[in-house]
Structure formats: C-alpha cells, structure tokens
Amino acid sequence: MRTQVGIVGAGPAGLLLSHLLARQGIDSVVLEARSREYVEQRVRAGVLEHPTVELLREVGLAERLDRQGLAHQGIRLRFDSADHRIDFADLVGRGIVVYGQQEVVKDLIAARLADGGDIRFGVTDVRLDGVTGDPVIHFGDGEELRCDVIAGCDGFHGVSRAEVPHTAFDRRYPFAWLGILAHAAPIHDELVYANHPDGFALYSMRSPEVTRLYLQVPPDTDATDWSDAQVWDELQRRLGTEINEGPLLEKGVTGMRSFVAEPMRHGRLFLAGDAAHIVPPTGAKGMNLAVADVRVLADALGSYLRGGSETGIDAYSDTCLRRVWRAEHFSWWMTTMLHAGDDDPFARRLQLAQLQQTVSSRAAATTLAENYVGLPHGAL
Ligand code: RFL
Ligand code: PHB
C-alpha cells in the first residue's frame, strides 16, 4: 500500500489533518488502533476555542456544530463563596462553543468517509520505520503502508513519539479530576470554575439535557471510591449552588499533567496533538492545540508535497511550540490558581490574591479571556 501521508491515530488531530490534506488534493490513510464505535463514544473535551470553530466552519465541518453547539460569551469564577463573571464578549469580542470532542470526531469521520477517505479502525501492532529516509508503517499481520511522510497523531500513549529524539518537559500535579456526565438539565448557562478550600470543582455541560461536572480528587482515586450520592453532595457543596441531579452516563478519573516534547519532528515524521504535548484540562486547551498543530502541518505538507518547498516543514516544530508553550503556561496558571493545595496558608493567600485581581482588574480579566477564547491562529 502507498499513500502520500500515513497518519497514525483517528483522534481530532489525525482526522482533521486527513480532511485538510484532502482539500489540497493530498492522499492520506489513517490507521487507528480502536474501533470506530470506541473513538466516537470516548468522552473528553468540551470547549472549542473561537479559532477552532472558525477553522471548522471554513473547511465545511460546522453544519451540526452550528446547530447543536452551545455558544458561550463568558465563564464564572467562584471563590470565597461568591461568583464573578468573566465577560468574554465585552473583554475580547469573541466567545467559545461548548460541543463535545466526540461530536467533532463523529463529524470528521462522517465527512472523511463521505469523501472517499481511507480510515482503518482496529489496526494492531503499528510500528514506524525509515522515518529519516523512506517511511514505512508496519501494522497488523505483516501489512505495510509506504508513504512520503508520517504524521504521528496517536495521542500521549501512542508509538510515534518514541521515534523522535526529543527533550521531554514534564510536570505532574498532586491531584486528579473525577468527571461525571449526567442526564440532567444544566441550571447554569455558562461554565463555573470553583476554587473551594476542599478542592476545585467545575460545572460544564454538553446539551440542554446533559451536564458535565468535575471534582478535584487525590491522584490515586478510583472512580468507584465515590458513590453517585457522594459526588452530587460534594459538587453542590463546592459549587455553592443547587444543581439538577440525574442518572450518570459516565464516571472516570483523569490525571493532571503538563508535558512537552521538543522538537515535534524527526526527518519525515511529524508529531501533532497529544502525541507531542499534554496540558492539564483546567484551561480547556488540549483539543484546541491539536487543531492548531494540524492546521500548521497541513499547510506545510501542502507546500512540500505539491511544490517541493521545505520552508514550511522546517518551521513546523518551532511554529507549533510557540503556541504550545503559551497554552502550557495558561493551563498551569489556571490549574495552580484554582486547585486546593497541601494546606500551605501562604500559597492559599497567593491564590486568593490572584483570583481577586483576575476578577477586579479589566487588564487581568482580559488576559484570561484572550487566552481562554484562543489566540488567533498565526498570531504567534
Ligand atoms: P487523541 O484524541 O488521544 O487521539 C489519538 C488516537 O490515536 C489512537 N492510537 C493509536 N492508533 C494506532 N496505533 C497506535 N499505536 C495508537 N496509539 C493510540 C488512539 O486510540 C486515539 O484514537 O489525541 P489528539 O487527536 O491529539 O487529540 C487530543 C485531545 O483528545 C485532547 O487534547 C483533549 O481531549 C484534552 N481535553 C480537553 N481539550 C480541550 O481542548 N478542551 C477541553 O475542554 C478538554 N477537556 C480533555 C478535557 C481531556 C480529558 N481527558 C479525559 C484526558 C477533559 C478531559 C477529562
Ligand atoms: C468539559 O466540558 O469537559 C470541560 C470544560 C472546561 C474544561 C475542561 C473540560 O476546562
């Protein structure tokens, strides 16, 4: 088998890259370890930045997003028993859209398949070879995909990153998130990020019928340690409001980590999305960074494969890393400002001072808003 771009992984990064390449007449094959059902049901991110939404519109992927996505013009920060609104529309003139990552994935798969795209699900034993010469992806029972370049879009636990000699920057946090998805109508129309002395809580949603909520928990927590009733009680307590309860559709624990691999390229292998970098979810940046990477990569590969210019592919890693580090900083900042630490009264006072400034200074609120709604693609 031969293709121009061999893509490992059918998450948002791999699928969107395949779509953007097809628009330029470039062939690709996507190899995915899991089944289609699995990737379409996997509950993850929910916040699409403004530049992500604009890109999806521009490339014909926003028909359902524009009908079902929830456009939000702000968020609330809660601390010291009071709510404070950060008004994105007023501060930066742009907002976000709440739309589940798995809905983006469904839309991408449907668009690729309708367009004759080649996505192989349930592929086993993916192995990369010849990444500095003639790239080959070995998989399954002796199958081979030969390609001009490989895009490693296989997430944090994939196989691609190991083929790129890199420096790893890594930070772990002493807490995790217990997340639930519940069949319960949201009672707030915007996300609430709550700093509570007993731990962070986040109020989010997916639709007019479905709420998504998170609680800060110790890192070694097993989701079954918490009964549903305990989760609801703790959420109400930390969020300081009544919330509608309902049957749980999902319950899981997510670790918190910051990670960057530099560089994001080795020869003809390019890493994109979680394969190259991870952020803690507090800034809602992970999927948006994956989208920003593949936008840069699709342009660079277009110039290379259609016109032979290496300028774009040579700049790929540096261009992406500027945005990645901005998002790493924002995600670390939101995380440290909002989570409860280990009973250090000095750190607690600093957090409250930071929160006070963020909600009372227009300049500080604007910095949060500008980062949260997403810096325009190309701006860095
Ligand atoms: P993905 O989505 O992990 O996709 C990688 C794909 O590669 C496949 N794979 C392989 N395929 C073939 N061979 C192999 N050897 C393979 N190894 C792996 C996997 O099965 C998978 O299908 O990476 P991608 O495309 O880079 O996308 C990144 C995003 O998924 C991730 O950054 C976000 O989900 C992070 N995230 C959030 N991001 C946001 O932008 N906004 C949010 O609000 C947000 N909230 C979150 C989040 C992530 C969370 N969890 C569960 C990690 C909330 C949570 C709770
Ligand atoms: C979500 O809705 O899943 C979500 C929202 C905001 C975050 C993280 C996750 O910061």
Side-chain angles (χ1 to χ4, degrees):
M1 246 205 311
R2 183 155 193 107
T3 189
Q4 287 176 288
V5 182
I7 301 176
V8 189
L15 292 166
L16 180 60
L17 178 63
S18 179
H19 181 88
L20 297 176
L21 291 171
R23 286 172 55 89
Q24 305 182 68
I26 295 171
D27 288 335
S28 64
V29 174
V30 181
L31 302 177
E32 165 60 48
R34 302 291 195 149
S35 68
R36 177 174 178 182
E37 295 67 41
Y38 184 90
V39 301
E40 289 189 342
Q41 298 307 324
R42 190 166 40 194
V43 179
R44 284 197 172 169
V47 172
L48 305 185
E49 290 181 341
H50 183 74
T52 299
V53 175
E54 274 194 323
L55 174 65
L56 295 175
R57 285 192 183 130
E58 213 175 290
V59 300
L61 290 166
E63 189 271 328
R64 201 162 65 94
L65 162 66
D66 280 329
R67 269 189 295 118
Q68 296 177 6
L70 308 170
H72 287 193
Q73 302 303 330
I75 56 168
R76 284 170 200 274
L77 295 182
R78 180 176 176 82
F79 60 95
D80 265 356
S81 308
D83 278 354
H84 307 265
R85 183 159 187 263
I86 306 287
D87 187 334
F88 298 155
D90 173 48
L91 294 163
V92 293
R94 303 187 296 282
I96 53 153
V97 175
V98 176
Y99 188 67
Q101 174 170 327
Q102 73 269 41
E103 306 307 322
V104 176
V105 164
K106 281 180 207 159
D107 295 344
L108 280 163
I109 291 174
R112 282 312 291 133
L113 295 181
D115 203 26
D118 191 345
I119 311 173
R120 315 276 169 109
F121 292 99
V123 162
T124 55
D125 299 326
V126 168
R127 197 165 51 75
L128 313 186
D129 208 4
V131 302
T132 55
D134 287 320
V136 189
I137 307 177
H138 301 276
F139 63 97
D141 207 3
E143 292 187 77
E144 277 184 9
L145 174 63
R146 300 194 162 268
C147 30
D148 296 318
V149 302
I150 298 175
C153 301
D154 46 354
F156 191 65
H157 302 287
V159 295
S160 301
R161 188 170 63 254
E163 304 303 321
V164 176
H166 62 268
T167 304
F169 298 84
D170 199 358
R171 172 110 356 148
R172 287 161 206 250
Y173 300 83
F175 36 77
W177 281 12
L178 173 70
I180 62 164
L181 188 70
H183 203 277
I187 49 155
H188 296 285
D189 53 3
E190 291 176 340
L191 274 62
V192 182
Y193 287 81
N195 171 308
H196 187 280
D198 296 335
F200 170 73
L202 171 59
Y203 189 96
S204 180
M205 66 276 310
R206 285 293 178 274
S207 72
E209 296 86 38
V210 176
T211 329
R212 176 78 166 145
L213 300 135
Y214 299 94
L215 279 179
Q216 175 184 347
V217 292
D220 52 1
T221 300
D222 189 322
T224 57
D225 296 347
W226 287 73
S227 71
D228 295 1
Q230 280 175 312
V231 175
W232 288 114
D233 285 352
E234 193 62 11
L235 281 164
Q236 314 234 12
R237 212 168 63 77
R238 295 192 195 172
L239 289 163
T241 65
E242 287 289 312
I243 46 183
N244 290 330
E245 299 184 14
L248 298 202
L249 308 169
E250 216 244 7
K251 180 156 89 180
V253 174
T254 307
M256 306 279 281
R257 193 166 180 175
S258 300
F259 178 94
V260 181
E262 287 188 2
M264 290 167 59
R265 172 199 181 185
H266 182 50
R268 290 168 178 238
L269 168 60
F270 298 83
L271 301 179
D274 279 16
H277 41 74
I278 294 278
V279 285
T282 330
K285 286 286 160 254
M287 172 172 49
N288 295 292
L289 275 183
V291 166
D293 285 353
V294 299
R295 177 179 218 168
V296 176
L297 186 54
D299 285 350
L301 291 179
S303 308
Y304 177 56
L305 296 170
R306 291 182 308 146
S309 164
E310 299 197 13
T311 315
I313 58 171
D314 286 346
Y316 170 71
S317 179
D318 288 347
T319 303
C320 290
L321 285 167
R322 278 193 289 277
R323 171 176 289 270
V324 167
W325 278 111
R326 177 86 292 284
E328 290 287 348
H329 179 265
F330 178 67
S331 305
W332 166 86
W333 176 75
M334 287 283 280
T335 301
T336 47
M337 178 168 71
L338 289 164
H339 289 74
D342 43 10
D343 288 332
D344 173 356
F346 182 79
R348 174 81 189 138
R349 295 294 187 284
L350 291 183
Q351 265 189 337
L352 291 173
Q354 181 70 80
L355 282 161
Q356 281 296 353
Q357 191 202 22
T358 302
V359 301
S360 57
S361 145
R362 188 173 174 92
T366 304
T367 299
L368 190 158
E370 182 176 60
N371 283 281
Y372 197 95
V373 305
L375 299 162
H377 286 166
L380 295 159

